Each structure stands twice: as C-alpha cells, then as structure tokens.
C-alpha cells in the first residue's frame, strides 16, 4: 500500500446521490462514509513491498481494488469481482480527504505533463473508454450518445478518438449540448417533450442514417426506449446510465432487429490507456472542469453539483499547493 496526500477530487453524481438518498440500489449507507472516488495525489510513504512508486510521485488513483484473485480477476474482468473494494461505495470509504491509503497497484504514476486535475478526470474518462470498448466503436462508426452530462461527454471524446465518423448527442439542456460540441460532437439534438420514437427519428435525421451504436448515459426510461428505437438493426446499445431497477422497454423491437443490449459496470484496465492518451495530447479533458473549490468548501461544491451547474466540480484537498 501507499499513503497519499490528496490533491484533486472530482464530485460524481453518485457521491451526490449517496449524500441525498443514502443508497444506490443494493448499496446502502449504514454508517458514516467518506465520499470521493475521482482522485489524484502525491505519494507520501510506500509499503515495504512497493517498488514502482516512491515518495513525491504524482499519481492517479483507480478506486476499485479486488480483494481476492477470483475467476473474474483471472479473466481480466476484475471490476465484476463481487468482493471488490470501491471508494465511496458502502461500506468502503472514499478519498475526499487530506490523506488516504490505497493499494499501490491501483495508483498510476502521472507524467509531468499531466496535471493533478487531469489525473482525477481519468476516473470518469475510464467509464467512456470501457463503454466504447464494450460498444465496439471503430473506424467509421456512427454513434448516438444519449445524455450530455460528464459521462455523456467522455463518451463523445472517446468515441471520436476510437474512430467514430459521426457522433450525435441528445439532452434537455442547451448549455450541456454546447459543451458536447466543444468536446467534439458532430451533431446535437435538444429534446423537449418528444416521444422516444420521435427522438429516434430526429437522431436519424441529423445523422443521415440510424446509428450503429447507442451509448445511453441517462438511465431514464424514455431515453432507453429511444436508444432501442434509434439503433440500426444489428447494432449495439450500451447502457451506462443507472435509473430505476425495473424499466419498461420495447425489448421485442430490439430482439427481432438483433440489436445487442450490453451493460457496463464501472471499468477495468483503462488507466494505462487513459494516461497514454492524455500524455500524448491526443485527447483533452480539461474543458470538463467548470468549478473549483477548496476542501473547506466541500458542502458548497456538492450543492453546486446537486443544482446541475457546470459540468465537473473539482475539489482541491491540499492547502499547501499554490498551483492554479
């Protein structure tokens, strides 16, 4: 293990949800819990067996650490391990604090040209990498991203990086769609109160065809329905957003058109690729951060996220750090 002095921690919708509702599905907060899982920091101390890190190293933290070498770990899908430790998922504490101890294998050294903030953004970016891999985005893909929050935006960034020829994004908010344009979306569709079928036909209208791939990032029932109707026959729908446990969807429509429906659970094996992409400047996640607060103003930061202002709210945990 390593002891870290924390630097930057992003606030996620799940952090806000635990704070407001005390549970997400079967994960119930029963005792006080430290929030935060999008994080970077500086190594202060290393355990006796740690060789790849030393005090002073700047690192990005992967929050999910398997507790045992089970069948999922053996096949490289450690995110599915039922006993995994995960920051800020009850009962495991997160890392929105000054000092934090973590498994050294899940701390990744940051090159000098990647900022702490970018290091913290690797966590949401990883959701996009994992989702687009599961969707099999490739050269020339036409992609529909449903929802333009932070996770919708990272999916736009990654889909373009993976060779998507055209990406269309839907959302209720004009300002969020503007941000999608900034990070590389080719088309945006502002949804008002159309039916799911109408949304699907608007997506087809701007793309000029039905998308091969839909990445659904809202979890809203009507959006999942629109995702099924929109995806071309033989295409793939990846469900990223989490909504109610039971959802009514036109499953027969998907089945008879051979639309593959895939889920994702967080990510695995994404940090090295994310670091390589950021270091080579092939992708830019800096525009995602719209608000910054010191740790003392954490409540204000959470309120800002809860109100849906901006995109990504970032907390700075290290009072001695004077960098911008």
């Amino acid at each position: 293990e390593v002891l870290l002095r924390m630097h930057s921690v992003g606030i996620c919708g799940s952090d806000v949800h635990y704070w407001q509702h005390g549970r997400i599905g079967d994960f119930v907060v029963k005792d006080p819990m430290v929030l935060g899982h999008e994080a970077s920091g500086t190594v202060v101390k290393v355990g006796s067996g740690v060789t790849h890190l030393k005090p002073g190293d700047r690192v990005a933290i992967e929050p999910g650490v398997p507790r045992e070498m089970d069948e999922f770990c053996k096949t490289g899908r450690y995110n599915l391990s039922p006993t995994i430790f995960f920051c800020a998922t009850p009962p495991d504490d997160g890392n929105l604090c000054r000092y934090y101890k973590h498994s050294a294998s899940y701390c990744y050294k940051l090159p000098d040209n990647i900022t702490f903030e970018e290091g913290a953004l690797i966590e949401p970016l990883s959701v996009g990498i994992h989702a687009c891999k599961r969707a099999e985005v490739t050269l020339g893909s036409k992609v529909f991203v449903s929802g333009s929050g932070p996770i919708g935006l990272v999916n736009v960034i990654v889909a373009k990086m993976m060779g998507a020829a055209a990406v269309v994004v839907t959302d209720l908010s004009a300002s969020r769609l503007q941000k999608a344009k900034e990070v590389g979306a080719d088309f945006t569709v502002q949804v008002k109160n159309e039916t799911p079928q109408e949304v699907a036909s608007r997506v087809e209208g701007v793309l000029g065809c039905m998308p091969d791939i839909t990445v659904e990032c809202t979890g809203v029932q009507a959006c999942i329905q629109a995702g099924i109707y929109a995806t071309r026959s033989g295409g793939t729908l990846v469900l990223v957003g989490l909504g109610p446990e039971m959802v009514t969807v036109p499953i027969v429509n998907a089945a008879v058109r051979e639309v593959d429906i895939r889920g994702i659970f967080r990510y695995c094996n994404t940090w090295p690729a994310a670091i390589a992409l950021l270091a080579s400047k092939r992708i830019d996640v800096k525009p995602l951060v719209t608000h910054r607060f010191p740790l003392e103003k954490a409540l204000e930061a959470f309120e800002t996220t809860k109100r849906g202002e901006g995109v990504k709210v970032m907390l700075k945990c290290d009072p001695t750090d004077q960098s911008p």
Side-chain angles (χ1 to χ4, degrees):
E1 291 188 319
V2 293
L3 178 67
L4 304 159
R5 189 171 76 240
M6 300 306 295
H7 189 288
S8 295
V9 181
I11 299 177
C12 172
S14 70
D15 292 319
V16 174
H17 200 86
Y18 281 126
W19 167 49
Q20 288 294 303
H21 304 284
R23 70 179 300 159
I24 294 178
D26 295 335
F27 298 109
V28 183
V29 180
K30 297 188 170 124
D31 298 296
M33 180 180 81
V34 179
L35 291 169
H37 59 268
E38 309 178 358
S40 64
T42 306
V43 176
V44 180
K45 254 179 159 169
V46 300
S48 56
V50 178
T51 54
H52 72 291
L53 293 172
K54 62 184 187 308
D57 283 349
R58 303 159 60 254
V59 297
I61 301 165
E62 179 171 2
V65 180
R67 287 188 169 96
E68 56 184 312
M69 178 54 76
D70 59 15
E71 58 184 308
F72 298 104
C73 292
K74 286 175 187 170
T75 55
R77 300 181 74 175
Y78 57 86
N79 58 313
L80 302 179
S81 176
T83 59
I84 197 167
F85 166 92
F86 197 90
C87 293
T89 295
D92 303 334
D93 279 326
N95 46 30
L96 182 51
C97 47
R98 296 256 188 249
Y99 289 91
Y100 174 72
K101 187 181 70 172
H102 200 68
S103 164
S105 306
Y106 293 80
C107 294
Y108 300 83
K109 194 172 185 310
L110 292 173
D112 294 341
N113 68 342
I114 299 183
T115 65
F116 281 114
E117 254 181 26
E118 289 173 296
L121 288 167
I122 292 173
E123 195 279 343
L125 179 61
S126 286
V127 178
I129 295 172
H130 191 57
C132 287
K133 276 186 175 172
R134 292 270 294 152
E136 296 178 39
V137 178
T138 189
L139 212 56
S141 296
K142 307 280 178 57
V143 180
F144 164 28
V145 175
S146 168
S148 191
I151 296 302
L153 296 173
V154 293
N155 274 285
V156 172
I157 291 168
V158 175
K160 294 294 285 188
M161 185 70 237
M162 287 173 72
V167 176
V168 56
V169 185
T170 54
D171 202 278
L172 297 166
S173 158
S175 62
R176 290 206 155 182
L177 289 173
Q178 184 51 43
K179 190 57 96 167
K181 277 269 200 225
E182 269 177 57
V183 301
D186 299 282
F187 307 101
T188 57
V189 172
Q190 189 174 2
V191 179
K192 295 267 195 311
N193 42 17
E194 295 93 331
T195 65
Q197 287 99 326
E198 285 166 345
V199 171
S201 75
R202 284 188 68 189
V203 167
E204 183 180 359
V206 297
L207 264 183
C209 61
M210 293 172 85
D212 314 293
I213 288 159
T214 299
V215 184
E216 207 301 296
C217 301
T218 71
V220 175
Q221 177 170 288
C223 298
I224 300 171
Q225 293 170 353
I228 289 176
Y229 292 129
T231 309
R232 70 178 284 176
S233 298
T236 303
L237 166 65
V238 175
L239 301 177
V240 183
L242 297 176
E245 187 187 359
M246 288 293 175
V247 178
T248 303
V249 293
I251 201 80
V252 175
N253 176 291
V256 298
R257 296 194 303 109
E258 296 192 7
V259 172
D260 290 351
I261 300 176
R262 296 183 175 186
I264 69 155
F265 187 59
R266 301 170 180 157
Y267 34 66
C268 58
N269 305 302
T270 56
W271 259 253
I275 288 171
L277 287 167
L278 289 167
S280 64
K281 304 298 175 196
R282 294 299 303 280
I283 60 170
D284 183 13
V285 291
K286 290 200 262 320
L288 298 178
V289 181
T290 52
H291 294 71
R292 293 170 179 87
F293 293 89
L295 186 58
E296 300 75 39
K297 294 190 175 169
L299 188 59
E300 201 181 318
F302 270 77
E303 295 282 5
T304 304
T305 308
K306 184 185 158 197
R307 288 194 300 268
E309 290 174 27
V311 181
K312 179 57 68 178
V313 176
M314 196 65 71
L315 281 153
K316 203 154 96 170
C317 300
D318 183 359
T320 64
D321 178 73
Q322 296 307 310
S323 65

